[in-house]
Amino acid sequence: MTIGMILDNEFSRDPRVKNEVFSLIKAGFRVSVLCYNYGNKPLFENYYGARIIRFKVNKKFIKKIKGLNNTFFNIFQ
């Protein structure tokens, strides 16, 4: 079975994410991680058996989207 993880940031080998990826692989799952790519990292990478899939995005654009998201949810509270 394949498990997909979606990160709202770059895959920077954060210990929490890394531990989760390793735990899932150790349990016998195939792991795919979808994340942003702000720099020049490869779009596809094999990280100890996990497939990292990056898509290029402008960091300013993400900041604007997150600001809209916060504004939208504050309206309904």
Side-chain angles (χ1 to χ4, degrees):
M1 177 187 290
T2 302
I3 294 188
M5 298 172 63
I6 300 173
L7 298 179
D8 62 347
N9 210 340
E10 280 190 311
F11 182 78
S12 60
R13 293 168 181 80
D14 179 346
R16 295 169 294 173
V17 176
K18 183 175 78 170
N19 288 340
E20 187 171 351
V21 167
F22 286 151
S23 296
L24 291 170
I25 290 172
K26 192 175 183 180
F29 295 101
R30 290 184 310 224
V31 179
S32 296
V33 180
L34 179 66
C35 61
Y36 297 144
N37 185 8
Y38 299 131
N40 296 325
K41 294 183 181 178
L43 296 180
F44 299 97
E45 179 183 358
N46 184 357
Y47 180 72
Y48 296 103
R51 195 169 75 176
I52 310 300
I53 305 165
R54 296 182 178 95
F55 60 96
K56 286 195 173 271
V57 67
N58 187 336
K59 202 168 194 174
K60 289 180 184 178
F61 175 74
I62 295 302
K63 285 184 179 182
K64 289 179 183 178
I65 292 296
K66 286 183 179 180
L68 283 174
N69 186 21
N70 291 338
T71 303
F72 179 74
F73 284 113
N74 286 338
I75 292 172
F76 294 106
Q77 289 183 350

